[in-house]
Amino acid sequence: MTKPLLIAENISKYYDGRVACEKVNFELWPGEVLAIVGESGSGKTTLLKCLSMQIAPNAGRALYSLRDGRTESLSDLSEAERRFLMRTDWGFVHQDPREGLRMGVSAGANVGERLMAVGERHYGRIRSTALDWLNRVEIAGDRIDESPRNYSGGMRQRLQIARNLVTAPRLVFMDEPTGGLDVSVQARLLDLLRGLVRTLGLSVVIVTHDLAVARLLSTRILVMQQGKVIETGLTDQVLEDPQAPYTQLLVSSVLQV
Amino acid sequence: MTTGYNFAYLNEQTKRMIRRALLKAVAIPGYQVPFASREMPMPYGWGTGGVQVTASILTPQDTLKVIDQGADDTTNAVSIRKFFVRTAGVATTEETEKASIIQTRHRVPEAALREDQILVYQVPIPEPLRFLEPRETETRKMHALEEYGIMHVKLYEDIARHGHIATAYAYPAKVNGRYVFDPSPIPKFDNPKLDDCAALQLFGAGREKRIYAVPPYTKVRSLDFEDHPFSVQKWEEPCALCGSTTTYLDEIILDDKGKRMFVCSDTDHCRKSQEKAA
Amino acid sequence: MRTILKIRNLAKQFRLHLQGGVRIPVFDDLHLELAEGEALAVTGPSGKGKSSLLKIIYGTYKAGQGEILVRHDDSWVDLARAEPRQVLEARRRTIGYVTQFLRVIPRVPTLDIVSEPLLERGIAPELARERAALLLERLNIPERLWSLSPMTFSGGEQQRVNIARGFAAHYPILLLDEPTASLDQENKARVLKMIDEARDQGSAIIGIFHDASDRRAVCTREFDLSRAA
């Protein structure tokens, strides 16, 4: 494909006149992993919510290249189209897996739900697809009928990823996906995500305050400060040769071990 | 008939409001129409929704039958029947064939219904999506956009846990190929009777303030999986009283030693079968 | 042999905002051309920007001024101005880079690290792993280590894993930052031979070699930064 998957055009969001994010522009091409970094309050989560249509921006728009080849402004889509997009062509990985999972039903049903939502009506196929996905996110198949309540934090997060990827989405939004996890569990998850992103050719917009996560997962970085994008570029370039004063501060503040 | 009340207890304005809701419900089969449910002289859970629907459609010429769990002589059925005798003075019957309006809780009569009959269901929880989605705003949107995937999540859970679809009552179905609805807590045994039924079927939920309907001869299809198709309950033995093998049976415990028997839950139908055999 | 890299008027300085905005100049008006099959040794005293030059060509450092023209798919791309995805595309198929230190990803087995560049080109996993195994074998990494993360390996082992990764796929331009620095004589000889082979296959090489004898062994030309800029 030779055109961007997602285009942000001058996206701005204000809360009571206060800037949450302002005039954000970028293009996300197929297969790219874009990390939005910045400290808390920099507007990165607001931007993610605007892009994924959880909130409406006050100005600007996001354009998306649909599977049928049309590129449409997301705000012009009908609600039915938007919701269909969200459960088929998009994924959203929340920091807290409880927000992205149905805690009251089994792991298998959590993975199978999107399949049933797009019309799969064969129990055997749903179950074998769910098993396959549990396997891909390194969850033992014999735990398919357990509630995610019995799962550890790392397993829940991997289950949330499987639940999102089962319909082969092209774009996945991630909000601090490793945020709530122990460091040892983080490494495993990051490695898993890297592998999935490459083998599935996913495009990802990931919000993180952790530059190590950005380095491991992303191909490009967008640095935000006080609602504005102050620097963008290749991940290694932004981290090794940061240009803006704030980026230099951010990079130099990372603890070395 | 007790004087001092309007015919069938409710005032005419209220009946009109409910009839408007009923017309809308008939026009959009399976769609839950909100209505201004009134306080009734009986507690919620005793069929206030069904009573309000019945009161709104009742005429002095009607013959009313009320059943609870298939029987005409249970407390709930008796008290509702008495209520309408006192407030409307209508004729009542225990015979399905003779009734023009049948109000029911938990069963559909075994005898096939006719075009000149109306079946009124008492509904505790009208929203089939409530199991997985607690937000009313969200369930309404899901109905509007026909997002019914999560209904199958419930059925999936059944099979994963029990090896088959264990949901035995309030079994969700799709009406007229559009709205998924809860046929009230009838056994799934009765679901096929709703399909293409000659009688008008009205559903009233008093506490939840919802009315919905299945018009005569409307397609009602129970949800299922291709490899786990919908099926109804079966019993190993016939009805101990009438010998029927085609009806819904209740298990009756006879003594402390675990002695039991299976008998028809539809008492009128069972009696008729016994009379015919005799 | 065709020219494959043209650097014109390259200037670079670092500006350290956290230290009062002090400017550290690296190059000013640097020119460089490289043809297929050439091996260029970048020389000069330390602190003259040898590693910086490699990083600028690779895009890890941002060029200040000038052009970095690279022949990519038979057309010239100016990496100093290219979009990130164009730079990534050039890195995937045109420019390889063996850094001085291996940046390890926790938990990823050595064999996977080495085969990754091949997988990114769409080569089948089995084939990629076969080729990776061959390289690791050649660089004396014992097979029992292949399934482990190189995180706990010795410096020399890590460097050899890094070289195996850098040589896994064929690149028309190969940047080598002290590839032989922490290697013993035997392994050094193997790496130098691999560099020669790459050159024989037409790769253009730009390398930093601490050791003058290594430099003489593989390089066709020297580029002295203290005189160039």
Side-chain angles (χ1 to χ4, degrees):
Chain A
M1 193 160 109
T2 50
K3 62 177 182 173
L5 191 62
L6 181 72
I7 304 169
E9 276 183 6
N10 277 315
I11 289 185
S12 303
K13 179 72 188 174
Y14 308 96
Y15 291 114
D16 299 328
R18 197 176 53 76
V19 173
C21 66
E22 193 165 48
K23 292 192 177 127
V24 177
N25 288 285
F26 69 82
E27 286 181 352
L28 183 77
W29 288 70
E32 281 192 320
V33 179
L34 176 71
I36 303 174
V37 305
E39 55 197 16
S40 342
S42 59
K44 55 193 194 304
T45 297
T46 300
L47 175 60
L48 192 74
K49 284 183 175 167
C50 286
L51 294 171
S52 58
M53 296 183 299
Q54 295 176 55
I55 54 174
N58 295 103
R61 58 181 190 162
L63 299 161
Y64 184 68
S65 169
L66 299 162
R67 283 196 200 215
D68 62 10
R70 285 181 300 144
T71 295
E72 293 282 341
S73 169
L74 291 173
S75 56
D76 291 346
L77 295 179
S78 70
E79 185 163 26
E81 285 176 303
R82 271 208 296 264
R83 289 170 65 107
F84 184 74
L85 200 63
M86 284 187 199
R87 59 171 196 268
T88 54
D89 214 16
W90 287 11
F92 197 105
V93 177
H94 297 264
Q95 174 173 4
D96 184 347
R98 284 173 301 184
E99 281 180 47
L101 292 172
R102 285 194 193 279
M103 298 303 282
V105 301
S106 68
N110 264 288
V111 179
E113 180 177 339
R114 273 180 166 230
L115 296 173
M116 296 182 242
V118 295
E120 175 61 271
R121 293 289 178 267
H122 190 282
Y123 174 83
R125 278 200 299 267
I126 293 167
R127 195 162 171 89
S128 61
T129 308
L131 270 171
D132 176 45
W133 269 100
L134 290 182
N135 179 40
R136 289 171 85 161
V137 298
E138 302 171 19
I139 293 173
D142 61 5
R143 304 198 64 177
I144 186 172
D145 293 329
E146 279 182 46
S147 153
R149 287 203 181 94
N150 297 352
Y151 281 14
S152 68
M155 281 175 77
R156 284 182 190 176
Q157 198 56 292
R158 297 201 299 277
L159 180 64
Q160 190 189 186
I161 289 162
R163 173 177 160 88
N164 272 285
L165 298 187
V166 69
T167 50
R170 293 185 302 156
L171 175 60
V172 181
F173 297 99
M174 300 185 188
D175 187 6
E176 305 272 10
T178 58
L181 303 175
D182 292 341
V183 182
S184 57
V185 179
Q186 272 187 25
R188 182 177 183 188
L189 188 76
L190 285 171
D191 171 37
L192 181 80
L193 280 174
R194 266 173 62 90
L196 289 171
V197 163
R198 191 185 58 216
T199 51
L200 303 172
L202 293 177
S203 304
V204 179
V205 179
I206 176 173
V207 157
T208 180
H209 68 276
D210 187 339
L211 295 182
V213 169
R215 185 187 271 280
L216 279 180
L217 279 185
S218 71
T219 47
R220 274 167 61 206
I221 282 185
L222 197 140
V223 184
M224 290 191 75
Q225 185 191 20
Q226 291 171 1
K228 293 196 175 65
V229 175
I230 54 155
E231 183 162 354
T232 65
L234 284 170
T235 296
D236 56 329
Q237 186 259 302
V238 170
L239 294 178
E240 295 199 26
D241 187 16
Q243 307 291 309
Y246 176 73
T247 315
Q248 291 188 357
L249 176 68
L250 210 60
V251 171
S252 66
S253 305
V254 176
L255 293 174
Q256 302 287 328
V257 286
Chain B
M1 179 175 164
T2 308
T3 51
Y5 285 115
N6 190 35
F7 177 76
Y9 185 75
L10 291 176
N11 64 56
E12 292 305 311
Q13 284 302 329
T14 298
K15 289 189 208 166
R16 209 174 280 175
M17 175 271 292
I18 293 173
R19 286 174 200 145
R20 276 198 292 267
L22 288 168
L23 286 173
K24 186 168 178 180
V26 170
I28 317 170
Y31 172 73
Q32 299 167 47
V33 183
F35 80 109
S37 178
R38 297 293 193 246
E39 290 292 323
M40 297 304 285
M42 61 190 74
Y44 288 130
W46 283 66
T48 55
V51 166
Q52 290 179 78
V53 169
T54 300
S56 304
I57 60 172
L58 203 61
T59 67
Q61 292 76 42
D62 273 311
T63 303
L64 181 68
K65 171 182 164 80
V66 183
I67 50 171
D68 174 12
Q69 308 275 9
D72 298 81
D73 54 359
T74 49
T75 319
N76 192 244
V78 170
S79 64
I80 291 173
R81 195 162 52 233
K82 273 192 184 157
F83 173 79
F84 282 114
V85 169
R86 283 182 64 193
T87 60
V90 290
T92 62
T93 180
E94 293 195 1
E95 293 178 55
T96 301
E97 289 77 7
K98 290 187 178 154
S100 57
I101 296 174
I102 303 166
Q103 180 169 334
T104 179
R105 172 173 181 263
H106 289 197
R107 276 310 310 278
V108 176
E110 303 288 0
L113 299 176
R114 300 183 310 266
E115 285 180 8
D116 60 348
Q117 293 179 307
I118 299 175
L119 188 57
V120 177
Y121 295 78
Q122 301 170 202
V123 182
I125 300 164
E127 181 49 76
L129 299 167
R130 191 64 72 231
F131 168 74
L132 285 166
E133 182 48 67
R135 289 166 297 178
E136 176 73 15
T137 49
E138 184 66 15
T139 53
R140 286 213 206 180
K141 211 167 267 178
M142 290 161 86
H143 279 297
L145 301 175
E146 273 187 89
E147 290 180 4
Y148 290 133
I150 64 167
M151 288 313 305
H152 278 83
V153 170
K154 184 176 176 350
L155 302 181
Y156 171 96
E157 286 291 88
D158 265 9
I159 303 172
R161 254 186 233 144
H162 308 287
H164 62 276
I165 299 178
T167 300
Y169 63 93
Y171 192 104
K174 196 177 233 188
V175 186
N176 201 27
R178 176 60 181 82
Y179 285 94
V180 166
F181 87 126
D182 180 343
S184 87
I186 57 169
K188 67 177 176 181
F189 180 87
D190 286 342
N191 270 30
K193 295 184 196 155
L194 273 64
D195 180 37
D196 205 32
C197 177
L200 170 63
Q201 303 176 78
L202 304 174
F203 298 77
R207 184 182 43 213
E208 302 289 325
K209 302 176 173 55
R210 292 289 184 276
I211 282 172
Y212 50 102
V214 176
Y217 304 113
T218 301
K219 191 99 200 112
V220 174
R221 196 182 137 64
S222 303
L223 304 184
D224 61 3
F225 286 104
E226 289 161 25
D227 49 344
H228 286 266
F230 174 80
S231 65
V232 298
Q233 294 100 323
K234 286 188 183 68
W235 288 264
E236 311 259 297
E237 48 194 287
C239 170
L241 300 178
C242 73
S244 165
T245 54
T246 56
T247 52
Y248 187 82
L249 304 183
D250 282 336
E251 183 180 2
I252 313 269
I253 306 291
L254 295 173
D255 57 26
D256 289 348
K257 296 181 192 96
K259 207 172 165 218
R260 56 196 188 153
M261 67 175 191
F262 288 91
V263 297
C264 286
S265 111
D266 185 337
T267 50
D268 171 58
H269 187 266
C270 191
R271 190 169 50 242
K272 290 254 171 61
S273 302
Q274 291 173 58
E275 285 166 10
K276 223 178 275 176
Chain C
M1 285 289 183
R2 295 185 308 171
T3 302
I4 194 160
L5 174 72
K6 291 190 271 190
I7 298 178
R8 290 175 183 161
N9 305 100
L10 180 67
K12 172 69 183 171
Q13 62 175 6
F14 290 107
R15 185 160 182 211
L16 308 180
H17 292 282
L18 303 181
Q19 290 165 44
V22 62
R23 288 166 201 274
I24 299 173
V26 188
F27 326 111
D28 187 26
D29 202 26
L30 183 141
H31 292 261
L32 175 64
E33 283 204 9
L34 194 68
E36 289 167 342
E38 274 197 290
L40 184 76
V42 182
T43 61
S46 58
K48 274 289 167 195
K50 298 191 292 291
S51 289
S52 294
L53 177 60
L54 298 195
K55 286 187 174 181
I56 288 173
I57 295 170
Y58 198 63
T60 298
Y61 285 174
K62 209 173 174 127
Q65 281 164 31
E67 292 177 328
I68 301 165
L69 298 166
V70 166
R71 190 192 290 275
H72 174 68
D73 287 348
D74 287 321
S75 60
W76 291 97
V77 180
D78 180 4
L79 293 182
R81 262 161 214 78
E83 289 291 316
R85 62 194 172 82
Q86 293 175 297
V87 178
L88 288 173
E89 188 50 31
R91 285 181 185 181
R92 203 160 63 82
R93 291 187 290 121
T94 301
I95 310 179
Y97 180 26
V98 177
T99 51
Q100 207 169 349
F101 301 102
L102 176 65
R103 186 177 281 281
V104 287
I105 305 141
R107 223 179 67 108
V108 180
T110 298
L111 196 63
D112 290 359
I113 289 178
V114 175
S115 42
E116 194 176 22
L118 294 165
L119 295 176
E120 276 176 7
R121 289 194 187 182
I123 288 169
E126 313 79 61
L127 275 174
R129 268 194 287 274
E130 243 170 66
R131 163 102 180 124
L134 220 63
L135 281 158
L136 287 170
E137 214 165 277
R138 199 170 166 193
L139 287 163
N140 274 331
I141 304 288
E143 193 172 344
R144 65 188 158 78
L145 298 180
W146 296 357
S147 59
L148 306 177
S149 159
M151 223 163 179
T152 52
F153 291 7
S154 73
E157 282 166 341
Q158 287 197 5
Q159 179 63 339
R160 278 177 279 143
V161 171
N162 206 14
I163 290 165
R165 179 182 160 92
F167 281 84
H170 169 79
Y171 297 98
I173 300 172
L174 200 47
L175 310 173
L176 306 172
D177 193 348
E178 303 252 18
T180 52
S182 47
L183 302 183
D184 59 31
Q185 285 307 319
E186 190 198 342
N187 284 313
K188 189 185 275 188
R190 284 168 193 251
V191 171
L192 294 176
K193 186 152 189 296
M194 283 166 68
I195 296 172
D196 260 343
E197 284 171 9
R199 205 168 59 76
D200 287 345
Q201 286 169 30
S203 290
I205 288 164
I206 305 182
I208 302 167
F209 298 89
H210 181 73
D211 193 336
S213 62
D214 293 353
R215 202 153 59 220
R216 279 193 296 274
V218 287
C219 293
T220 56
R221 190 151 69 93
E222 291 199 3
F223 183 74
D224 188 349
L225 269 184
S226 49
R227 262 180 269 165

